[in-house]
Amino acid sequence: MKSKLIKVHPQDNVAIALTDLWQGDSINFEGEDVIILSDVKAKHKITMVDLEPESKIYMYGVLVGKATETIKKGDVLTVDNVKHQASTTTGRTETVSYTAPDISKWKDRTFLGYHREDGQVGTANTWLFFPLVFCENRNVELLKDVFEKELSFHKSSKQRKLLRNLISGNNIELSEEEPEEEDAIFDNIEVRFITHQGGCGGIRQDSVSLAKLLAGYVNNPNVAGATVLSLGCQNLQIDIFQKAMDTINPDLKKPILIYEQQQEGTIDDMLNKIIRESFDGIKKANEIQRKPAPLSKLKLGLECGGSDGFSGISANPSLGYASDLLSALGGSPILSEFPELCGVEQELVNRCVDDEKAKRFLELMRAYEDAAEASGSGFDMNPSPGNIKDGLITDAMKSAGAAKKGGTSPIQDILDYGEYVTKPGLNLLCTPGNDVESTTAMVGSGANVVVFTTGLGTPTGNPIAPVIKVASNSILAGRMPDIIDIDTGAVIKGEKTIEEMGEEILEYIIAVASGETIAKADQNNQNDFIPWKRGVSL
């Protein structure tokens, strides 16, 4: 490690500890000696100047908080002496100049994907089962049990083998050997299942929103076809779902099988019909083969969760560089989590390609924050206990690092929740900061692969899109190797540049998109799906 401290931006008045520091340590930083006044854990921040109460604190070149008491140079920032504060934004103040990265080594590269009739290309080939209403969850679970057991899509886990041994009276330790694996009936199709708690109750707008999300999943190029279960009397009627599909893609040619229980008769009769007809669709979908596709066909979800004080200086900017490369290649990165863009609105507004996009971004941000405040909360309450413990003590501080996932390229489009990505280049999508809700939404807007940065570790995956996990530090990568795909700790240690790490991430994306590498979340069969319920419950 070349230094014990790092300042992200020349205008910052705080620095990040790259290693644990101890009271009394003297560190030469930027040509002057800094005396550490309190023990400081790695990832936390110390002030580089004396701060009086109400003094503004800058990091990443933006306002991230204010001092609530006197903080001497060399002392640590905490939730007790710092409060959230962010700059206000009213509109574009300048047009940001941008120089695209060199893509000469990538422009002729391809990935092996599943070509759909509408021109989209999938990184996976999935037949998807889901309900329009929670009343059908049990039937979806029954179908899941039948299809997964008979088609042998997932091998028996070590834990299942352990329980089997315990039942038979053999109390033995888990073996490190791979568990038994049955041969799959099909080798070119996955069958996945979604359940949820929506579709009825709540307000009608929630059902319309859910319909858009589910329609986006059907339209996602990773889906070859779908089986949809409806009860019949719920808020989310079949015609609402079909209208949502027509809005996204009026010429959709995928097989979509829809069943309404209240019109089908007995459960057995309905399930038998579903199994017969779905199996026929799955067999046909299995015939689709991977073929080369340009990298412009990639729609990349940019996600972070379980963030730490290193996320904004290693994993996120590295992913941001990969995002810039993909944008320059004609691909479509998607940056979401609007509560985690609080404080960096001005930079994002100035990067919008026109005033209309800038205006819509601010309208969505303000409407979201107003709704949060009306419920007695606010964006300032976004950092989780884990974030705070690992150095992210204000929402603006967290946001400034989180936004780095979006790189520096121009913002081509602004989308509300449930809207589908249609433009190449960086897109902003209004979603919550919740990891799974945000990932769920980006895939519903067309992401065919997701890269998920984390500093604390999170197992999140998705039913239809591969989710690649990127660790901000090598300690995490070593402690949780079963969920981490890429380690950006070399950036913290000064062994690799952001650009070098970003190129490695793009290479890994191509390998996963081609089916050559299986992301850890898929290896673990981690299929999370949580819709965003924006309204109250009635």
Side-chain angles (χ1 to χ4, degrees):
M1 186 174 292
K2 296 180 179 180
S3 176
K4 293 183 178 181
L5 293 173
I6 184 173
K7 185 188 287 186
V8 183
H9 190 278
Q11 295 179 5
D12 294 354
N13 56 8
V14 299
I16 306 169
L18 296 178
T19 185
D20 290 345
L21 304 176
W22 308 106
Q23 182 178 5
D25 284 352
S26 178
I27 299 173
N28 187 271
F29 183 69
E30 295 187 339
E32 60 178 301
D33 290 332
V34 179
I35 305 299
I36 306 302
L37 301 183
S38 305
D39 292 347
V40 183
K41 290 184 178 180
K43 308 178 188 180
H44 285 259
K45 288 78 183 170
I46 64 168
T47 177
M48 305 306 293
V49 296
D50 290 339
L51 297 174
E52 297 301 323
E54 302 299 313
S55 293
K56 295 180 178 179
I57 298 170
Y58 292 89
M59 189 175 168
Y60 299 98
V62 299
L63 178 65
V64 297
K66 64 179 179 180
T68 59
E69 60 185 53
T70 300
I71 311 173
K72 294 296 184 180
K73 176 181 177 181
D75 213 349
V76 63
L77 304 185
T78 71
V79 291
D80 297 319
N81 60 23
V82 173
K83 184 178 180 180
H84 168 83
Q85 185 172 0
S87 299
T88 57
T89 305
T90 58
R92 299 173 80 193
T93 57
E94 61 178 318
T95 300
V96 177
S97 61
Y98 174 69
T99 303
D102 181 6
I103 56 170
S104 55
K105 66 184 287 187
W106 309 94
K107 62 185 180 66
D108 295 324
R109 292 287 300 279
T110 60
F111 71 98
L112 294 175
Y114 296 97
H115 293 246
R116 308 301 180 189
E117 291 189 45
D118 61 1
Q120 295 188 96
V121 181
T123 64
N125 195 35
T126 304
W127 188 277
L128 186 63
F129 287 76
F130 62 86
L132 294 183
V133 61
F134 58 81
C135 306
E136 291 298 315
N137 281 350
R138 177 180 180 274
N139 288 330
V140 172
E141 293 289 354
L142 288 171
L143 291 166
K144 178 180 180 181
D145 184 64
V146 169
F147 276 90
E148 287 192 347
K149 283 184 177 177
E150 294 306 317
L151 298 184
S152 301
F153 279 106
H154 303 292
K155 60 189 178 182
S156 177
S157 70
K158 292 180 181 179
Q159 286 70 35
R160 182 178 167 189
K161 187 175 180 181
L162 171 62
L163 179 57
R164 190 182 307 144
N165 287 333
L166 292 173
I167 291 171
S168 64
N170 297 323
N171 188 6
I172 61 173
E173 295 293 327
L174 283 175
S175 170
E176 290 301 318
E177 298 177 1
E178 283 295 311
E180 299 172 6
E181 185 170 3
E182 304 172 38
D183 292 332
I185 303 299
F186 300 124
D187 59 2
N188 211 38
I189 184 76
E190 284 278 355
V191 178
R192 295 288 171 85
F193 302 82
I194 285 174
T195 57
H196 57 80
Q197 301 303 315
C200 205
I203 56 176
R204 297 300 173 92
Q205 291 91 328
D206 279 333
S207 291
V208 172
S209 179
L210 178 59
K212 292 178 181 179
L213 178 68
L214 294 172
Y217 270 67
V218 172
N219 194 61
N220 189 294
N222 290 0
V223 171
T227 298
V228 184
L229 277 65
S230 168
L231 178 60
C233 58
Q234 73 273 0
N235 285 349
L236 179 41
Q237 291 285 296
I238 291 174
D239 66 323
I240 296 175
F241 171 65
Q242 291 175 324
K243 182 180 179 181
M245 287 198 298
D246 290 341
T247 299
I248 289 179
N249 190 345
D251 195 32
L252 185 68
K253 292 183 171 60
K254 295 178 184 179
I256 310 299
L257 310 178
I258 303 178
Y259 303 89
E260 189 162 271
Q261 184 174 354
Q262 290 170 346
Q263 300 298 320
E264 292 289 345
T266 69
I267 292 176
D268 281 346
D269 287 344
M270 181 181 73
L271 292 180
N272 291 344
K273 180 180 179 182
I274 291 173
I275 290 170
R276 290 191 186 97
E277 295 178 357
S278 299
F279 182 70
D280 184 58
I282 291 167
K283 283 195 299 183
K284 292 177 181 177
N286 186 61
E287 297 172 1
I288 305 172
Q289 301 293 319
R290 290 184 182 269
K291 296 179 181 178
L295 300 185
S296 60
K297 294 296 183 179
L298 291 174
K299 293 180 179 178
L300 176 64
L302 308 169
E303 182 61 40
C304 62
S307 299
D308 71 346
F310 284 166
S311 293
I313 60 175
S314 59
N316 289 347
S318 296
L319 176 55
Y321 187 72
S323 171
D324 284 343
L325 289 171
L326 187 60
S327 290
L329 289 162
S332 302
I334 308 167
L335 180 64
S336 59
E337 300 179 292
F338 271 29
E340 297 183 8
L341 300 180
C342 175
V344 294
E345 293 99 331
Q346 190 65 65
E347 175 196 341
L348 296 174
V349 163
N350 290 344
R351 286 168 57 188
C352 288
V353 294
D354 55 45
D355 289 338
E356 179 185 355
K357 302 294 187 301
K359 180 181 178 182
R360 190 171 195 224
F361 170 61
L362 288 179
E363 287 175 346
L364 289 172
M365 282 288 288
R366 287 168 181 160
Y368 192 168
E369 186 165 22
D370 288 346
E373 290 176 353
S375 70
S377 186
F379 285 176
D380 61 311
M381 298 180 71
N382 177 264
S384 70
N387 296 148
I388 294 169
K389 182 180 178 181
D390 264 46
L392 301 176
I393 59 176
T394 73
D395 183 57
M397 189 180 292
K398 180 179 179 180
S399 296
K404 296 298 179 182
K405 303 190 303 294
T408 58
S409 57
I411 296 167
Q412 301 294 333
D413 207 0
I414 308 295
L415 304 174
D416 198 2
Y417 183 81
E419 293 181 335
Y420 204 83
V421 172
T422 59
K423 294 184 179 180
L426 182 62
N427 289 251
L428 298 191
L429 174 65
C430 183
T431 78
N434 176 281
D435 308 343
V436 181
E437 286 179 323
S438 174
T439 301
T440 296
M442 287 190 290
V443 175
S445 291
N448 53 8
V449 63
V450 176
V451 176
F452 188 125
T453 67
T454 182
L456 304 176
T458 172
T460 301
N462 184 266
I464 67 170
V467 178
I468 300 166
K469 292 292 169 44
V470 178
S472 72
N473 61 90
S474 297
I475 293 175
L476 169 63
R479 185 173 65 246
M480 304 180 77
D482 56 329
I483 70 168
I484 298 298
D485 298 284
I486 301 172
D487 174 17
T488 61
V491 173
I492 300 297
K493 292 177 279 192
E495 298 169 355
K496 290 182 181 178
T497 65
I498 294 294
E499 292 75 17
E500 290 170 337
M501 205 70 244
E503 291 192 353
E504 285 188 25
I505 290 174
L506 183 56
E507 284 287 1
Y508 202 91
I509 291 170
I510 296 170
V512 169
S514 300
E516 297 168 359
T517 299
I518 307 301
K520 297 291 180 63
D522 278 339
Q523 292 179 33
N524 295 329
N525 193 28
Q526 187 81 37
N527 302 314
D528 301 309
F529 179 86
I530 303 179
W532 183 18
K533 187 175 181 180
R534 301 173 83 165
V536 297
S537 187
L538 298 177

Short mmCIF file of all heavy atoms in Angstrom, two decimals, residues 226-266:
data_model
loop_
_atom_site.label_atom_id
_atom_site.label_comp_id
_atom_site.label_asym_id
_atom_site.label_seq_id
_atom_site.Cartn_x
_atom_site.Cartn_y
_atom_site.Cartn_z
N ALA A 226 -43.08 -17.47 -21.37
CA ALA A 226 -43.54 -17.37 -19.99
C ALA A 226 -44.88 -18.06 -19.79
O ALA A 226 -45.70 -18.15 -20.71
CB ALA A 226 -43.66 -15.90 -19.57
N THR A 227 -45.07 -18.55 -18.57
CA THR A 227 -46.34 -19.09 -18.10
C THR A 227 -46.86 -18.19 -17.00
O THR A 227 -46.16 -17.96 -16.00
CB THR A 227 -46.17 -20.52 -17.58
OG1 THR A 227 -45.71 -21.36 -18.66
CG2 THR A 227 -47.48 -21.06 -17.05
N VAL A 228 -48.07 -17.64 -17.18
CA VAL A 228 -48.62 -16.63 -16.28
C VAL A 228 -49.89 -17.18 -15.63
O VAL A 228 -50.79 -17.66 -16.32
CB VAL A 228 -48.93 -15.34 -17.05
CG1 VAL A 228 -49.41 -14.25 -16.09
CG2 VAL A 228 -47.71 -14.86 -17.83
N LEU A 229 -49.96 -17.09 -14.30
CA LEU A 229 -51.13 -17.56 -13.57
C LEU A 229 -51.92 -16.38 -13.02
O LEU A 229 -51.36 -15.49 -12.37
CB LEU A 229 -50.72 -18.49 -12.42
CG LEU A 229 -50.44 -19.97 -12.77
CD1 LEU A 229 -49.24 -20.11 -13.67
CD2 LEU A 229 -50.27 -20.77 -11.49
N SER A 230 -53.24 -16.41 -13.24
CA SER A 230 -54.15 -15.40 -12.72
C SER A 230 -55.24 -16.09 -11.92
O SER A 230 -55.63 -17.22 -12.24
CB SER A 230 -54.77 -14.61 -13.88
OG SER A 230 -55.85 -13.82 -13.44
N LEU A 231 -55.73 -15.43 -10.87
CA LEU A 231 -56.87 -15.98 -10.15
C LEU A 231 -58.16 -15.62 -10.88
O LEU A 231 -58.99 -16.47 -11.17
CB LEU A 231 -56.91 -15.44 -8.71
CG LEU A 231 -58.10 -15.92 -7.87
CD1 LEU A 231 -58.12 -17.44 -7.75
CD2 LEU A 231 -58.10 -15.25 -6.50
N GLY A 232 -58.33 -14.32 -11.18
CA GLY A 232 -59.49 -13.89 -11.92
C GLY A 232 -60.14 -12.64 -11.36
O GLY A 232 -60.59 -11.77 -12.11
N CYS A 233 -60.24 -12.52 -10.04
CA CYS A 233 -60.96 -11.41 -9.42
C CYS A 233 -60.04 -10.29 -8.93
O CYS A 233 -60.51 -9.29 -8.38
CB CYS A 233 -61.82 -11.93 -8.27
SG CYS A 233 -60.88 -12.80 -6.99
N GLN A 234 -58.73 -10.43 -9.11
CA GLN A 234 -57.77 -9.50 -8.50
C GLN A 234 -57.73 -8.16 -9.23
O GLN A 234 -58.23 -8.01 -10.34
CB GLN A 234 -56.38 -10.13 -8.50
CG GLN A 234 -55.70 -10.19 -9.86
CD GLN A 234 -56.05 -11.43 -10.66
OE1 GLN A 234 -56.82 -12.27 -10.22
NE2 GLN A 234 -55.48 -11.55 -11.86
N ASN A 235 -57.07 -7.18 -8.58
CA ASN A 235 -56.89 -5.86 -9.19
C ASN A 235 -56.10 -5.95 -10.49
O ASN A 235 -56.43 -5.29 -11.47
CB ASN A 235 -56.16 -4.92 -8.22
CG ASN A 235 -57.05 -4.43 -7.10
OD1 ASN A 235 -58.26 -4.60 -7.13
ND2 ASN A 235 -56.45 -3.81 -6.09
N LEU A 236 -55.01 -6.72 -10.48
CA LEU A 236 -54.19 -6.84 -11.67
C LEU A 236 -54.84 -7.84 -12.63
O LEU A 236 -54.51 -9.03 -12.66
CB LEU A 236 -52.76 -7.27 -11.32
CG LEU A 236 -51.77 -7.47 -12.48
CD1 LEU A 236 -51.90 -6.39 -13.54
CD2 LEU A 236 -50.35 -7.55 -11.96
N GLN A 237 -55.77 -7.34 -13.41
CA GLN A 237 -56.49 -8.16 -14.37
C GLN A 237 -55.58 -8.51 -15.56
O GLN A 237 -54.60 -7.82 -15.85
CB GLN A 237 -57.73 -7.42 -14.88
CG GLN A 237 -58.82 -7.26 -13.82
CD GLN A 237 -59.58 -8.56 -13.59
OE1 GLN A 237 -60.25 -9.07 -14.48
NE2 GLN A 237 -59.45 -9.10 -12.38
N ILE A 238 -55.94 -9.58 -16.25
CA ILE A 238 -55.16 -10.02 -17.40
C ILE A 238 -55.07 -8.92 -18.45
O ILE A 238 -54.00 -8.71 -19.05
CB ILE A 238 -55.76 -11.31 -18.00
CG1 ILE A 238 -55.56 -12.49 -17.04
CG2 ILE A 238 -55.14 -11.62 -19.36
CD1 ILE A 238 -56.25 -13.76 -17.48
N ASP A 239 -56.16 -8.19 -18.68
CA ASP A 239 -56.12 -7.16 -19.72
C ASP A 239 -55.17 -6.02 -19.35
O ASP A 239 -54.56 -5.40 -20.22
CB ASP A 239 -57.52 -6.64 -20.02
CG ASP A 239 -58.14 -5.91 -18.85
OD1 ASP A 239 -57.93 -6.32 -17.70
OD2 ASP A 239 -58.85 -4.91 -19.08
N ILE A 240 -55.02 -5.74 -18.05
CA ILE A 240 -54.06 -4.71 -17.61
C ILE A 240 -52.64 -5.17 -17.92
O ILE A 240 -51.80 -4.40 -18.40
CB ILE A 240 -54.22 -4.41 -16.12
CG1 ILE A 240 -55.60 -3.80 -15.84
CG2 ILE A 240 -53.12 -3.48 -15.62
CD1 ILE A 240 -55.89 -3.58 -14.37
N PHE A 241 -52.36 -6.44 -17.65
CA PHE A 241 -51.04 -7.01 -17.95
C PHE A 241 -50.79 -7.00 -19.45
O PHE A 241 -49.70 -6.62 -19.91
CB PHE A 241 -50.95 -8.43 -17.39
CG PHE A 241 -49.73 -9.19 -17.80
CD1 PHE A 241 -48.47 -8.79 -17.41
CD2 PHE A 241 -49.85 -10.31 -18.62
CE1 PHE A 241 -47.33 -9.49 -17.79
CE2 PHE A 241 -48.73 -11.02 -19.00
CZ PHE A 241 -47.47 -10.61 -18.59
N GLN A 242 -51.77 -7.40 -20.24
CA GLN A 242 -51.60 -7.43 -21.70
C GLN A 242 -51.40 -6.02 -22.26
O GLN A 242 -50.61 -5.83 -23.19
CB GLN A 242 -52.81 -8.11 -22.34
CG GLN A 242 -52.87 -9.61 -22.05
CD GLN A 242 -54.12 -10.27 -22.59
OE1 GLN A 242 -55.20 -9.67 -22.59
NE2 GLN A 242 -54.00 -11.51 -23.05
N LYS A 243 -52.10 -5.05 -21.69
CA LYS A 243 -51.90 -3.66 -22.12
C LYS A 243 -50.48 -3.20 -21.83
O LYS A 243 -49.86 -2.50 -22.64
CB LYS A 243 -52.92 -2.75 -21.44
CG LYS A 243 -52.82 -1.29 -21.86
CD LYS A 243 -53.86 -0.44 -21.15
CE LYS A 243 -53.74 1.02 -21.56
NZ LYS A 243 -54.74 1.89 -20.86
N ALA A 244 -49.96 -3.60 -20.66
CA ALA A 244 -48.58 -3.24 -20.31
C ALA A 244 -47.59 -3.86 -21.29
O ALA A 244 -46.62 -3.22 -21.70
CB ALA A 244 -48.28 -3.68 -18.88
N MET A 245 -47.84 -5.10 -21.69
CA MET A 245 -46.96 -5.76 -22.66
C MET A 245 -47.04 -5.07 -24.01
O MET A 245 -46.02 -4.86 -24.68
CB MET A 245 -47.33 -7.24 -22.79
CG MET A 245 -46.92 -8.09 -21.61
SD MET A 245 -46.89 -9.87 -21.97
CE MET A 245 -48.60 -10.14 -22.39
N ASP A 246 -48.26 -4.69 -24.44
CA ASP A 246 -48.42 -4.01 -25.72
C ASP A 246 -47.72 -2.66 -25.73
O ASP A 246 -47.19 -2.22 -26.75
CB ASP A 246 -49.91 -3.82 -26.04
CG ASP A 246 -50.61 -5.13 -26.36
OD1 ASP A 246 -49.91 -6.11 -26.71
OD2 ASP A 246 -51.85 -5.17 -26.27
N THR A 247 -47.71 -1.98 -24.57
CA THR A 247 -47.05 -0.68 -24.48
C THR A 247 -45.54 -0.83 -24.66
O THR A 247 -44.90 -0.03 -25.35
CB THR A 247 -47.35 -0.02 -23.11
OG1 THR A 247 -48.76 0.19 -22.99
CG2 THR A 247 -46.63 1.32 -22.99
N ILE A 248 -44.97 -1.86 -24.04
CA ILE A 248 -43.52 -2.08 -24.15
C ILE A 248 -43.14 -2.61 -25.52
O ILE A 248 -42.17 -2.18 -26.14
CB ILE A 248 -43.04 -3.05 -23.05
CG1 ILE A 248 -43.09 -2.37 -21.68
CG2 ILE A 248 -41.61 -3.53 -23.32
CD1 ILE A 248 -42.68 -3.26 -20.54
N ASN A 249 -43.92 -3.57 -26.02
CA ASN A 249 -43.58 -4.22 -27.29
C ASN A 249 -44.87 -4.70 -27.95
O ASN A 249 -45.32 -5.82 -27.70
CB ASN A 249 -42.63 -5.39 -27.06
CG ASN A 249 -42.06 -5.94 -28.34
OD1 ASN A 249 -42.55 -5.66 -29.44
ND2 ASN A 249 -41.00 -6.74 -28.23
N PRO A 250 -45.49 -3.87 -28.80
CA PRO A 250 -46.77 -4.24 -29.41
C PRO A 250 -46.67 -5.41 -30.39
O PRO A 250 -47.70 -6.00 -30.75
CB PRO A 250 -47.20 -2.96 -30.13
CG PRO A 250 -45.94 -2.20 -30.36
CD PRO A 250 -45.06 -2.52 -29.19
N ASP A 251 -45.46 -5.76 -30.79
CA ASP A 251 -45.28 -6.84 -31.76
C ASP A 251 -44.54 -8.03 -31.14
O ASP A 251 -43.80 -8.73 -31.81
CB ASP A 251 -44.52 -6.31 -32.99
CG ASP A 251 -44.62 -7.26 -34.18
OD1 ASP A 251 -45.66 -7.94 -34.32
OD2 ASP A 251 -43.66 -7.32 -34.97
N LEU A 252 -44.75 -8.25 -29.83
CA LEU A 252 -44.05 -9.32 -29.13
C LEU A 252 -44.46 -10.69 -29.71
O LEU A 252 -45.64 -11.00 -29.83
CB LEU A 252 -44.39 -9.28 -27.64
CG LEU A 252 -43.65 -10.26 -26.73
CD1 LEU A 252 -42.17 -9.90 -26.65
CD2 LEU A 252 -44.26 -10.27 -25.34
N LYS A 253 -43.47 -11.49 -30.07
CA LYS A 253 -43.74 -12.78 -30.70
C LYS A 253 -43.38 -13.97 -29.81
O LYS A 253 -43.41 -15.11 -30.27
CB LYS A 253 -42.99 -12.88 -32.03
CG LYS A 253 -43.51 -11.92 -33.11
CD LYS A 253 -42.77 -12.10 -34.42
CE LYS A 253 -43.43 -11.31 -35.55
NZ LYS A 253 -43.47 -9.87 -35.28
N LYS A 254 -43.05 -13.73 -28.56
CA LYS A 254 -42.71 -14.82 -27.65
C LYS A 254 -43.99 -15.57 -27.25
O LYS A 254 -45.06 -14.97 -27.13
CB LYS A 254 -42.03 -14.28 -26.39
CG LYS A 254 -40.69 -13.63 -26.61
CD LYS A 254 -40.14 -13.09 -25.30
CE LYS A 254 -38.83 -12.35 -25.50
NZ LYS A 254 -38.30 -11.79 -24.24
N PRO A 255 -43.87 -16.86 -26.97
CA PRO A 255 -45.03 -17.60 -26.46
C PRO A 255 -45.33 -17.20 -25.01
O PRO A 255 -44.48 -17.34 -24.14
CB PRO A 255 -44.59 -19.07 -26.56
CG PRO A 255 -43.09 -19.02 -26.53
CD PRO A 255 -42.71 -17.74 -27.20
N ILE A 256 -46.54 -16.69 -24.77
CA ILE A 256 -46.97 -16.31 -23.43
C ILE A 256 -48.25 -17.09 -23.12
O ILE A 256 -49.29 -16.89 -23.76
CB ILE A 256 -47.26 -14.80 -23.33
CG1 ILE A 256 -46.09 -13.98 -23.91
CG2 ILE A 256 -47.53 -14.41 -21.87
CD1 ILE A 256 -44.77 -14.18 -23.21
N LEU A 257 -48.17 -18.00 -22.17
CA LEU A 257 -49.31 -18.85 -21.80
C LEU A 257 -49.94 -18.28 -20.54
O LEU A 257 -49.28 -18.17 -19.50
CB LEU A 257 -48.83 -20.28 -21.55
CG LEU A 257 -47.95 -20.91 -22.65
CD1 LEU A 257 -47.52 -22.31 -22.24
CD2 LEU A 257 -48.67 -20.93 -23.98
N ILE A 258 -51.23 -17.92 -20.61
CA ILE A 258 -51.92 -17.29 -19.48
C ILE A 258 -53.10 -18.16 -19.05
O ILE A 258 -53.89 -18.60 -19.88
CB ILE A 258 -52.41 -15.88 -19.85
CG1 ILE A 258 -51.23 -15.01 -20.31
CG2 ILE A 258 -53.11 -15.23 -18.66
CD1 ILE A 258 -51.64 -13.60 -20.75
N TYR A 259 -53.19 -18.40 -17.73
CA TYR A 259 -54.24 -19.26 -17.19
C TYR A 259 -54.95 -18.54 -16.05
O TYR A 259 -54.31 -17.94 -15.18
CB TYR A 259 -53.63 -20.57 -16.66
CG TYR A 259 -52.85 -21.32 -17.71
CD1 TYR A 259 -51.48 -21.06 -17.89
CD2 TYR A 259 -53.45 -22.27 -18.52
CE1 TYR A 259 -50.75 -21.73 -18.86
CE2 TYR A 259 -52.73 -22.95 -19.49
CZ TYR A 259 -51.38 -22.67 -19.65
OH TYR A 259 -50.67 -23.35 -20.62
N GLU A 260 -56.29 -18.60 -16.06
CA GLU A 260 -57.09 -17.98 -15.02
C GLU A 260 -57.82 -19.05 -14.23
O GLU A 260 -58.71 -19.72 -14.74
CB GLU A 260 -58.08 -16.99 -15.63
CG GLU A 260 -58.79 -16.13 -14.61
CD GLU A 260 -59.42 -14.91 -15.24
OE1 GLU A 260 -58.70 -13.87 -15.33
OE2 GLU A 260 -60.58 -14.98 -15.67
N GLN A 261 -57.43 -19.20 -12.96
CA GLN A 261 -57.92 -20.32 -12.15
C GLN A 261 -59.44 -20.35 -12.04
O GLN A 261 -60.05 -21.42 -12.09
CB GLN A 261 -57.29 -20.29 -10.75
CG GLN A 261 -57.70 -21.48 -9.90
CD GLN A 261 -56.96 -21.53 -8.57
OE1 GLN A 261 -56.07 -20.73 -8.32
NE2 GLN A 261 -57.32 -22.49 -7.73
N GLN A 262 -60.08 -19.21 -11.90
CA GLN A 262 -61.53 -19.20 -11.71
C GLN A 262 -62.29 -19.59 -12.98
O GLN A 262 -63.52 -19.78 -12.93
CB GLN A 262 -61.98 -17.82 -11.22
CG GLN A 262 -61.52 -17.54 -9.78
CD GLN A 262 -61.74 -16.11 -9.33
OE1 GLN A 262 -61.99 -15.23 -10.16
NE2 GLN A 262 -61.62 -15.85 -8.03
N GLN A 263 -61.57 -19.74 -14.09
CA GLN A 263 -62.18 -20.21 -15.33
C GLN A 263 -61.75 -21.62 -15.71
O GLN A 263 -62.28 -22.20 -16.65
CB GLN A 263 -61.81 -19.26 -16.48
CG GLN A 263 -62.27 -17.82 -16.28
CD GLN A 263 -63.77 -17.70 -16.19
OE1 GLN A 263 -64.50 -18.36 -16.93
NE2 GLN A 263 -64.25 -16.85 -15.28
N GLU A 264 -60.79 -22.18 -14.96
CA GLU A 264 -60.20 -23.45 -15.36
C GLU A 264 -60.81 -24.65 -14.64
O GLU A 264 -60.64 -25.78 -15.09
CB GLU A 264 -58.68 -23.42 -15.09
CG GLU A 264 -57.90 -22.46 -15.97
CD GLU A 264 -57.79 -22.92 -17.41
OE1 GLU A 264 -58.07 -24.11 -17.69
OE2 GLU A 264 -57.43 -22.09 -18.26
N GLY A 265 -61.44 -24.46 -13.51
CA GLY A 265 -61.99 -25.60 -12.77
C GLY A 265 -61.11 -25.98 -11.62
O GLY A 265 -60.60 -25.12 -10.89
N THR A 266 -60.88 -27.30 -11.43
CA THR A 266 -60.11 -27.76 -10.28
C THR A 266 -58.64 -27.42 -10.42
O THR A 266 -58.13 -27.21 -11.53
CB THR A 266 -60.25 -29.28 -10.10
OG1 THR A 266 -59.56 -29.94 -11.18
CG2 THR A 266 -61.71 -29.71 -10.06
#
